Amino acid sequence: VGSSDALDTRYTFLPTKDQLEFERMSSLRGESKEDDDGEIPAMPLASASFDSAIVVAVPAPDLAAEETTPKKPERKRVSVNSSIKFSKVASSMIAAKALKGVAGLKSSHQQKKLNRKRTTSADMLPSNAIHVRSSSRQKQGRFKSSVSSVDEGLADSSFNPMLLLKTIPNAHKGPAWCAAFSLNGRFLATGGEDGNVCIWAVAPKSKVMHPNGVANQHEESSCDECGSEDENIESAMTAKEEQNASTTPPLHFIGVGPELATSLEILSSDPIHRFQDHTADVIDLSWSHTNFLLSASVDTTVRLYHHSKPGCLHLFKHADIVASVSFHPKDDRHFISGGIDKKLRLWDITDGRVKEWAQAPDVITAARFTPDGKYAVAGLFHGQVYFYDVDGLKYYTQIACRNRSGKHSRGKKVTGISFVRAERDDWLLKSKQETVPEQHENSANEDRNSTLTGQLSDTGKDLARRMSAAFRNQTPRDEALRYTERMLVSTNDSRVRLYGLSDFCLVRKYKGHTNHSMQIRARVSESGSHIACGSESGHVYIWETMDKNRQKKNNVNMKVHQTNDKTKRTDHFEASKASLPIVTDSAFFPTRSINETLLSSSQVFPFSLGMDRVDDDMSSAAILTLDYDGTMRVFFRKTCIDNILDAATPRGGTMT
């Protein structure tokens, strides 16, 4: 059922190493071209002087014409119009600088609260710290000079600097393509070119996450008869890992102080399972609520695993390469798959058969369920995103993820689909407008009820308090009105687009990274505040989902963002130093994993008063990265460590 009659044999899902090296060499030739949106990328200024910031293109002189043409005596001419024009330009520059100074004074006077500055000198930073830089795509004016500073280009955000906590070389033999955290945050699954599916333990020292402890694959395969052989194999593999770690190209660290938080056990050093059933690249993974794992492979199969079982539980065969797979968010008995044969299949795991299938107009490169499980979403090879009703896989609607003009106007491959649960922009304005009347109404009710509460008994007062608390809680309808679901789509035109699922319109576009041919997908944190995405340049790029122009709740004159807003600022840090520095995948650690890791560490978090008193967003505290050499790295925000240490002081309010 669902076999393809016409397969596109010319389609190559993953580029070869030779193709990637050729693209990298051609990109390093240094020709500055206009991008797809008609914007010229902003180049960093190497000097702070105004003269060096302006580059004027002068045509090359014709030497042959100069030799044949007799030279005329030079005459110095002074034009009155040119002098007047120069004086006007100079006066406009002076006026612009004066206005800029006045505006700066006004902005500094209006600023109410300054962020606490942290020490960024090299002697105070740990030796495992990495700078996070910021790049802006705002067009520079002709007469706008740059400010001379040593830290020019550094990101002014909570991500600067990042700490490298863990490096696992050769997590896969060859490129590591995909990573996925389990829904409860206990496990991490990775897949790569070697066809292996590895399961790693997250927060291995936590008794809450792993009550029975964590045993790696070597301990599970050991027995009484071959115990000495296993010890020899384990010691040999440990020596090999140390050798690989010494040969792994180091990143560019900025500090000279002692390393910070490297003893934090956030991820196991060895996989607890390494399944070797696939015969080709594993390119997508999906977890269920009951910790079952699905893997999609180039060998035209999907396999089912469980962390407590030693091998594959079931095999689902397809007609061609399977590009993506996804569990149903409400019912673990069903999942969807899509691939090169252009068919979207809805599988029933209990029967092991296809329940429904739909014919897509193009090759399916990404497939996911919407969070409510009502629709199956398929990303196609030329940038379309199709929505199908799960009941019968009937066509519902579609979105074209492409630019209106330029070389990518025909659309590029969809590499990833994820969903964001965000607060509605009009809810903040509505809540603020309703705050003032509610305050007057509450004060009137308090005066009116003050005489009644005095007449109630203790039982009546307790009942009144319970009823008041029940009415204050939000109903499911209010919750649905407050929050909205949005979809994040990654494509091979180096763009990440955010769409609203209520009207299927483009909300915001994120750019700055490089993704021309790889299956790189963007991920969002659990809180929905940040987006992380790998890049073919060897960096990890981070964007804020919140619009910079949108003011907060306490301001009545809140500006609701416009549709088709373009984010021009991005933060990025180096995450790979391989011969082909490509970050193939990146993901935020779940909040529960971070909390349990910190609570189980006596060195980093030396008190057990809970994580509620730490003023930080733990869903964006740590980032996992995979690269083209199969190396896995874990990065942690230094500001998160600082906030934890601040919470342990009397100023933080955790000392009693």
Side-chain angles (χ1 to χ4, degrees), residues 285-589:
L285 299 165
S286 178
W287 286 92
S288 71
H289 289 278
T290 52
N291 288 334
F292 284 93
L293 177 66
L294 288 171
S295 60
S297 175
V298 179
D299 63 1
T300 71
T301 63
V302 171
R303 292 181 180 270
L304 179 67
Y305 298 100
H306 195 270
H307 69 90
S308 62
K309 304 298 180 181
C312 176
L313 301 179
H314 203 283
L315 174 66
F316 305 92
K317 294 183 179 180
H318 291 67
D320 210 309
I321 295 176
V322 186
S324 187
V325 66
S326 177
F327 262 112
H328 194 281
K330 304 294 184 180
D331 189 358
D332 292 350
R333 298 173 299 174
H334 298 93
F335 72 92
I336 57 172
S337 63
I340 293 186
D341 59 358
K342 305 179 183 180
K343 293 215 182 308
L344 183 68
R345 296 176 173 87
L346 177 63
W347 293 81
D348 190 336
I349 296 179
T350 56
D351 296 337
R353 297 180 179 181
V354 177
K355 183 178 179 181
E356 303 285 350
W357 65 275
Q359 178 71 48
D362 205 346
V363 172
I364 299 175
T365 56
R368 288 293 182 269
F369 282 103
T370 55
D372 55 5
K374 294 182 179 179
Y375 301 101
V377 186
L380 306 185
F381 185 64
H382 287 98
Q384 304 98 329
V385 177
Y386 274 61
F387 288 78
Y388 297 90
D389 195 339
V390 173
D391 188 9
L393 286 185
K394 299 176 182 178
Y395 170 81
Y396 181 70
T397 188
Q398 62 175 300
I399 296 175
C401 302
R402 58 182 177 84
N403 294 332
R404 296 181 180 178
S405 61
K407 62 180 180 179
H408 297 317
S409 58
R410 295 185 58 185
K412 302 293 288 185
K413 179 180 66 174
V414 176
T415 59
I417 298 174
S418 58
F419 295 93
V420 186
R421 188 172 185 263
E423 195 172 29
R424 296 177 62 93
D425 299 316
D426 54 352
W427 177 268
L428 297 178
L429 181 60
K430 180 180 177 182
S431 61
K432 180 58 184 177
Q433 292 175 349
E434 293 177 354
T435 301
V436 178
E438 285 180 359
Q439 291 178 354
H440 295 290
E441 185 178 356
N442 291 337
S443 60
N445 291 334
E446 289 178 359
D447 296 337
R448 191 185 313 114
N449 296 331
S450 59
T451 58
L452 296 177
T453 53
Q455 300 176 4
L456 293 176
S457 61
D458 295 338
T459 306
K461 291 180 181 180
D462 182 61
L463 180 60
R465 282 195 299 268
R466 291 183 182 181
M467 293 180 65
S468 177
F471 280 112
R472 281 198 302 268
N473 293 334
Q474 290 184 349
T475 61
R477 183 176 180 273
D478 294 336
E479 192 79 6
L481 292 175
R482 178 173 182 176
Y483 293 96
T484 180
E485 296 290 346
R486 292 174 178 174
M487 181 179 64
L488 199 67
V489 182
S490 309
T491 51
N492 267 155
D493 57 353
S494 301
R495 302 290 185 271
V496 178
R497 295 173 175 86
L498 185 66
Y499 292 91
L501 292 183
S502 59
D503 53 3
F504 301 100
C505 291
L506 178 64
V507 176
R508 198 165 297 116
K509 184 191 297 184
Y510 305 92
K511 54 195 299 186
H513 66 298
T514 304
N515 183 17
H516 295 311
S517 57
M518 303 296 294
Q519 194 77 358
I520 300 175
R521 68 207 77 186
R523 307 293 184 93
V524 66
S525 60
E526 283 186 352
S527 63
S529 60
H530 292 88
I531 299 171
C533 185
S535 176
E536 296 177 6
S537 61
H539 296 78
V540 174
Y541 285 77
I542 303 171
W543 300 275
E544 289 187 2
T545 56
M546 179 71 70
D547 187 8
K548 292 290 185 182
N549 297 325
R550 194 178 75 168
Q551 301 178 9
K552 299 223 177 163
K553 221 186 255 192
N554 54 3
N555 195 337
V556 179
N557 298 323
M558 188 192 68
K559 299 179 181 179
V560 180
H561 75 275
Q562 299 178 356
T563 58
N564 201 4
D565 183 22
K566 188 184 300 179
T567 300
K568 299 180 180 180
R569 180 181 177 275
T570 175
D571 299 338
H572 60 276
F573 63 92
E574 183 185 46
S576 179
K577 271 284 189 180
S579 57
L580 279 175
I582 301 175
V583 179
T584 55
D585 201 1
S586 61
F588 289 102
F589 276 78

Side-chain angles (χ1 to χ4, degrees), residues 164-220:
L164 178 62
L165 297 191
K166 199 177 192 65
T167 301
I168 303 178
N170 293 335
H172 288 270
K173 296 179 181 179
W177 295 129
C178 54
F181 286 98
S182 61
L183 301 182
N184 56 9
R186 295 178 57 194
F187 304 102
L188 167 71
T190 58
E193 186 186 43
D194 54 3
N196 294 346
V197 177
C198 299
I199 297 181
W200 312 76
V202 183
K205 290 186 176 181
S206 173
K207 298 298 182 182
V208 177
M209 303 283 278
H210 307 281
N212 299 326
V214 175
N216 57 33
Q217 57 180 349
H218 306 294
E219 296 178 359
E220 289 183 353

